[in-house]
Amino acid sequence: LIYTQLTKKHLVRLGKKGQEATVGFYQVIHEGLSGVKEVKVLEAESFFMRLFKSFTDKYKKNMTHVAVWQIAPKIMIETLIVTMVTGYIFFAYLSDRDIAEILPLLGVFGVAFMRLYPSFNAILSSISSISAQKFSLDILYDELKEADHKTTQTVRDTQETALAYQHSLELKGLHYRYPGSELPALKDINLTISPGESIGIVGKSGSGKTTLADVILGLLHYESGEILLDGINVFREISKWHGMLGYIPQNIFLLNDTIQQNITFGVHEEDIDHEALNNAIISAQLQELIEELPKGVLTVVGERGVRLSGGQRQRIGIARALYRNPKILVLDEATSALDNETEAAISKAIETISHNKTLIIIAHRLSTVKNCDRLYLIDNGKIISHGSYQELINKNEWFKKVNDLAATQ
């Protein structure tokens, strides 16, 4: 107990530093490999190597100290026992006691020590190990607790009916502030979307468009306000809400796997609904590409879809969003990284699916949202104007300027 109390805080501190170092060198590995082209061209290998070495040195230093504290109990117990036995014999000698009388007692204690010593050592070593890993364990515990809650909620949701969407999706008085930020990213967002409508959310870079998309998707929890689907707060039924959504981001994440697996994403091969898969491929206008490939949908796309063009990756993203037949599609800058010709083709694919879906389109290219039923213009996290495309041209100088600039290109 004394040893544990004396070393616990120090070991927790060492474990925290070790965990932070681990996060650091994994981040360097990820960033270095993700930007390998830039790293090679700019000859920045030495920068990443030095950064990686600094984190691994910190990790080694802290874990070496932890290892020392883990083997320390063995040395301490052995030293303590030898000191006690030696001291006992010494004081017995000074007090003129017969050594022959105390040898049986020492023998009993010696045998007891030999039997108990491995257990004492294992207990103290394990306590040291737990103390050193406490910081990581706390993080893992919180993650598992949250995952368990979500799993329980998902099981419960699958046993209940899905959310209805017959009248309106309402965003009422939404406020959101990023942790550690003094200024709100979203302020008093109010809008209503009817089933089958296409809504465009436009604005300057950094105006809060993507933050609003993340809040709608349930990835960020708003500070105040409500998102109501036919009067039901979607955050109270988050799994059902996610079941109604399809999401197409700017950069599509692709597995180093087949086109089929990338479209069905997260569904085991034996559970794939091939009719839904074919419908998604047709709606995303992917059938021509697939017909040209020798292995069709079983073609492996390579790491991050390296064997595909940007437009083809985006079409796979559209097909993935459509595979589960969502009622609402959220497109977050889905065409902004594409050239004009490819953007026009992707926009056409999106237009073909817009007739029976509710679309929420986040864009800075006005051509992407030109055919939307209604547009909302955001600036500094607040809706400053809304209306049809032509109404915004007449009402807002910035919107008119961007439209005129796009027309000249």
Side-chain angles (χ1 to χ4, degrees):
L1 289 173
I2 293 170
Y3 174 81
T4 302
Q5 290 301 315
L6 290 175
T7 60
K8 184 177 179 181
K9 289 184 179 179
H10 182 60
L11 285 167
V12 170
R13 188 164 57 251
L14 288 173
K16 180 180 179 181
K17 290 180 179 178
Q19 200 271 344
E20 290 171 349
T22 304
V23 171
F25 66 67
Y26 275 122
Q27 182 178 335
V28 172
I29 291 171
H30 173 70
E31 291 174 349
L33 294 178
S34 297
V36 64
K37 291 182 180 180
E38 291 89 340
V39 171
K40 287 288 186 183
V41 172
L42 300 175
E43 297 185 348
E45 294 96 334
S46 59
F47 168 79
F48 285 94
M49 287 297 292
R50 282 199 302 271
L51 205 55
F52 178 77
K53 187 176 184 302
S54 69
F55 283 118
T56 52
D57 286 346
K58 289 178 184 177
Y59 178 79
K60 286 189 293 183
K61 180 181 176 181
N62 283 283
M63 291 302 103
T64 300
H65 289 168
V66 169
V68 169
W69 283 105
Q70 285 177 333
I71 63 172
K74 177 181 178 181
I75 300 168
M76 291 173 61
I77 291 174
E78 291 175 348
T79 304
L80 180 64
I81 295 298
V82 171
T83 302
M84 289 173 65
V85 171
T86 305
Y88 183 73
I89 294 173
F90 178 71
F91 283 110
Y93 174 77
L94 290 180
S95 59
D96 295 326
R97 291 186 62 183
D98 187 354
I99 298 298
E101 293 180 4
I102 65 172
L103 283 178
L105 182 61
L106 289 174
V108 171
F109 278 107
V111 171
F113 166 70
M114 293 301 294
R115 296 297 300 271
L116 292 172
Y117 168 71
S119 298
F120 276 129
N121 185 50
I123 290 169
L124 285 171
S125 179
S126 297
I127 289 173
S128 298
S129 179
I130 290 171
S131 297
Q133 300 300 330
K134 184 179 183 302
F135 184 77
S136 298
L137 286 171
D138 287 342
I139 295 173
L140 184 60
Y141 173 78
D142 291 338
E143 292 287 343
L144 289 174
K145 189 175 180 181
E146 183 179 352
D148 181 62
H149 171 73
K150 288 182 177 179
T151 302
T152 304
Q153 184 67 37
T154 301
V155 171
R156 189 185 303 120
D157 288 341
T158 56
Q159 298 170 348
E160 299 172 0
T161 57
L163 290 175
Y165 183 21
Q166 298 176 343
H167 303 293
S168 66
L169 171 65
E170 294 180 87
L171 279 60
K172 299 178 68 175
L174 286 187
H175 287 259
Y176 180 77
R177 188 191 315 269
Y178 284 102
S181 174
E182 294 182 1
L183 298 175
L186 297 175
K187 296 175 283 188
D188 196 30
I189 299 293
N190 293 279
L191 58 90
T192 302
I193 306 171
S194 299
E197 275 193 314
S198 56
I199 299 299
I201 299 173
V202 296
K204 303 174 186 177
S205 296
S207 59
K209 303 188 300 296
T210 295
T211 302
L212 179 56
D214 289 343
V215 171
I216 292 173
L217 290 166
L219 302 175
L220 300 176
H221 200 298
Y222 45 79
E223 197 173 276
S224 62
E226 288 182 307
I227 300 179
L228 302 175
L229 188 70
D230 285 356
I232 297 174
N233 190 323
V234 299
F235 272 78
R236 294 177 185 169
E237 306 283 355
I238 193 66
S239 294
K240 293 180 184 178
W241 174 236
H242 284 161
M244 299 180 67
L245 296 174
Y247 176 50
I248 308 173
Q250 178 179 345
N251 298 309
I252 303 296
F253 171 74
L254 294 180
L255 304 167
N256 187 7
D257 209 327
T258 63
I259 292 176
Q260 173 178 280
Q261 205 60 50
N262 273 289
I263 293 174
T264 58
F265 199 75
V267 178
H268 292 292
E269 190 170 349
E270 60 271 18
D271 298 326
I272 291 174
D273 183 338
H274 289 279
E275 184 179 353
L277 174 63
N278 289 332
N279 289 338
I281 288 171
I282 293 169
S283 296
Q285 298 181 8
L286 263 175
Q287 66 271 34
E288 186 177 338
L289 167 66
I290 290 172
E291 287 170 0
E292 292 174 355
L293 298 171
K295 294 184 179 180
V297 292
L298 299 180
T299 302
V300 176
V301 302
E303 187 174 355
R304 298 189 179 187
V306 68
R307 298 173 186 172
L308 302 175
S309 68
Q312 291 167 344
R313 289 196 292 269
Q314 213 67 17
R315 290 179 193 275
I316 289 177
I318 294 172
R320 177 189 295 170
L322 295 175
Y323 172 72
R324 290 170 174 80
N325 193 27
K327 294 182 180 179
I328 302 170
L329 274 179
V330 179
L331 296 86
D332 186 7
E333 303 282 10
T335 61
S336 63
L338 305 175
D339 58 76
N340 291 334
E341 185 178 350
T342 307
E343 184 210 5
I346 296 296
S347 296
K348 185 178 179 182
I350 293 170
E351 191 176 344
T352 61
I353 62 176
S354 64
H355 304 297
N356 57 352
K357 306 286 182 190
T358 300
L359 299 185
I360 301 174
I361 304 175
I362 314 293
H364 69 259
R365 281 188 183 178
L366 299 188
S367 56
T368 310
V369 295
K370 198 165 188 177
N371 295 320
C372 286
D373 297 319
R374 192 165 60 260
L375 303 181
Y376 289 87
L377 180 59
I378 291 184
D379 189 31
N380 290 324
K382 192 171 184 178
I383 295 175
I384 60 172
S385 187
H386 69 275
S388 67
Y389 192 90
Q390 190 58 48
E391 285 173 343
L392 282 186
I393 291 176
N394 297 333
K395 288 195 294 186
N396 186 272
E397 188 63 33
W398 176 85
F399 193 89
K400 182 179 184 303
K401 182 179 178 181
V402 174
N403 176 71
D404 292 342
L405 182 63
T408 60
Q409 293 178 346

